[in-house]
Amino acid sequence: MLLSSACEYGLRTAVYVASLEEDGHVPIRRISEALEISAPFLTKILQQLTENGHMTSLRGPKGGVAFARPPSQITIADVVTSIDGDGLFTECVLGLPGCGNAAPCPLHDRWGAERDRIAALFSSLTLADLAADVNRSDEPLRLAPTAIEL
């Protein structure tokens, strides 16, 4: 898993909110129920997106979250770095502290090329791009029921 659970939920949440064709703040409880994410955990994730200037929040009966700027101006990389930092795009996949061109790990060269491709992909895709895909499909943001292994 390259992204933390918080980051995965943050991405799903941001895409979900972007896919809604309405203005105004979306209640956190509504997002929590729609995506089956714990409201307290979701609140912490949304705080990170708010602190990094991607969303705004409002308390009270008309409260919730909204984007600070259009979803077409927020990339997947913006969301990832807000929640997980830039490690996905800069660090060794094996987590070795000294890994680099001078002292590469066994995956350094292979991972470096893939890491650059992931960075380019995440920097080129916006929340609006993914929201458009969501609006053309059935319901890809919900968790599928887990199969019981025997």
Side-chain angles (χ1 to χ4, degrees):
M1 171 161 60
L2 296 175
L3 301 174
S4 69
S5 295
C7 192
E8 290 173 4
Y9 290 157
L11 280 169
R12 286 179 34 215
T13 298
V15 171
Y16 172 75
V17 173
S19 73
L20 299 175
E21 296 179 1
E22 58 190 62
D23 292 327
H25 288 75
V26 180
I28 293 174
R29 176 71 52 205
R30 176 179 169 193
I31 299 167
S32 170
E33 290 171 0
L35 300 180
E36 300 173 349
I37 300 170
S38 143
F41 188 43
L42 180 59
T43 299
K44 289 179 183 181
I45 295 166
L46 290 169
Q47 284 174 342
Q48 290 176 288
L49 293 174
T50 300
E51 289 169 2
N52 284 286
H54 303 303
M55 300 191 100
T56 62
S57 64
L58 184 65
R59 291 181 182 241
K62 301 248 185 209
V65 293
F67 289 107
R69 59 187 192 281
S72 61
Q73 295 177 12
I74 303 170
T75 67
I76 303 308
D78 291 333
V79 176
V80 169
T81 56
S82 292
I83 298 170
D84 277 358
D86 67 354
L88 174 65
F89 309 119
T90 61
E91 294 178 8
C92 173
V93 71
L94 297 179
L96 298 173
C99 179
N101 291 333
C105 76
L107 286 175
H108 180 77
D109 292 332
R110 291 177 189 97
W111 172 244
E114 295 307 316
R115 182 184 60 213
D116 292 345
R117 287 183 8 178
I118 291 170
L121 174 67
F122 283 20
S123 295
S124 69
L125 286 174
T126 67
L127 295 177
D129 295 331
L130 296 185
D133 291 343
V134 167
N135 288 333
R136 284 192 295 269
S137 64
D138 291 334
E139 201 172 1
L141 294 173
R142 284 192 139 201
L143 290 175
T146 48
I148 299 173
E149 294 185 33
L150 299 176

